[in-house]
Each structure stands twice: as structure tokens, then as C-alpha cells.
Amino acid sequence: MLPALLAQIGLPLLLKAVGLGLDAIDNPVAKAASAAVGDVEKAISGRQITPEQIAAANHHTERMMEIESREVQTKIREINRTFRAEISSGDAYVRRWRPTFGYAVAVSWVATMGAAAYTVVAEPELAPGVISALVNTAPIWGVALAVLGVSVVKRSQDKRLGTPGDSGA
């Protein structure tokens, strides 16, 4: 019953929405995809694609999502195992890599911004190039600050939970 209902209401409605969204994009690839989605919609409404075929496709999608979910769970388990090993380490540096990384990012940021500010003030004709160069460093800073953010949040959680090795490091 559910596959028939999905075939009659859910999937056609979803296809219509996706088709309209793709059709609104001014790009030949999007227009072709919109036409293809429209063809699928017509095949479903014309009963060329049966509810059983839709159910099989849904089952395949569910199975793929289960596999992907297991992969994500495995990655999370591995990350947690790494954090636990770090926390239980007797090596002071292993426990203090987060603050070290934080200080390194802070010093790098101050040096970069100080040099850029000095250059813009001392030689204003170089300002467009300096600003452009700073824009090009955005991905690097994004990664560094994301790692730092995750580290700070995780360490804060560790301290709240009273995890070993939380002597203020």
C-alpha cells in the first residue's frame, strides 16, 4: 500500500518540485536534468514505472543510506578512540597539543594581519594585492580555525565530564 501511495502522491510531487527547481536554473545541464525528471514523472503517471519498481528503488536507497550510516559511525568510533588515546596518554605534550596548536594559530594570525596592516599603511599602492592575497588565505584559515574550534569544544566537554588529564591543559 505504501509503495502505491508513494508512487501516486509522494514521488510525483517530489519530481515536480525538483523539476521546477532545476528548470529555474539558467544552465543547459540543469535544463536537461529538468527534462529528464519530467520524463520520469510522466512515466510514473502513465504507469510505465510500476509501484513495485518504485518500492525496489526505495529499498535500494534505504540500503545505501544504511551503508553510509555505518561508515559514518565507524569514522566517529575511530575519532573517539583517538581522543581517548590522547587523553589517557602519560605524555604531557600529547595532552597539550591543543593549546599549543591554539597558540600557534594565534601567533600566525597576528603575524599575518600585522604584516598586512603594516604593508597597507606603509605602501597603500600595494593594498589591492595584499587584500587579494589575504582573501586567498581564507581556505587555510578556515581549516585551521575549524580544527581549533573542534579542539576547544572537545576539550571543554572533556573538562566538564572530568576526563583524566584535565589538569587545566
Side-chain angles (χ1 to χ4, degrees):
M1 168 124 174
L2 185 62
L5 184 62
L6 182 62
Q8 292 173 1
I9 297 172
L11 192 56
L13 197 59
L14 179 62
L15 289 170
K16 183 173 284 303
V18 170
L20 290 173
L22 288 170
D23 196 43
I25 299 172
D26 188 23
N27 180 288
V29 175
K31 297 290 185 194
S34 175
V37 168
D39 292 344
V40 172
E41 186 181 2
K42 289 174 190 168
I44 289 173
S45 64
R47 301 272 186 204
Q48 294 169 331
I49 297 176
T50 66
E52 292 78 20
Q53 290 172 314
I54 293 172
N58 287 339
H59 178 70
H60 175 74
T61 302
E62 289 171 6
R63 182 74 179 118
M64 294 305 294
M65 294 306 292
E66 287 173 13
I67 291 169
E68 187 174 326
S69 175
R70 273 193 299 241
E71 288 175 3
V72 168
Q73 288 173 355
T74 301
K75 287 177 186 176
I76 290 171
R77 262 190 238 107
E78 196 62 30
I79 290 168
N80 286 336
R81 188 178 64 75
T82 302
F83 275 132
R84 285 187 194 105
E86 173 193 326
I87 289 167
S88 66
S89 173
D91 183 5
Y93 184 74
V94 170
R95 287 193 318 262
R96 290 187 176 89
W97 77 267
R98 296 175 207 218
T100 302
F101 182 75
Y103 290 129
V105 168
V107 168
S108 299
W109 188 85
V110 167
T112 301
M113 295 306 144
Y118 175 79
T119 303
V120 167
V121 170
E123 299 186 45
E125 66 277 0
L126 298 177
V130 169
I131 292 169
S132 176
L134 285 176
V135 169
N136 290 332
T137 65
I140 296 169
W141 285 112
V143 170
L145 294 174
V147 169
L148 183 60
V150 168
S151 297
V152 168
V153 168
K154 178 62 180 144
R155 189 64 186 137
S156 297
Q157 289 171 349
D158 292 346
K159 286 181 178 182
R160 269 196 303 276
L161 295 173
T163 308
D166 63 353
S167 59

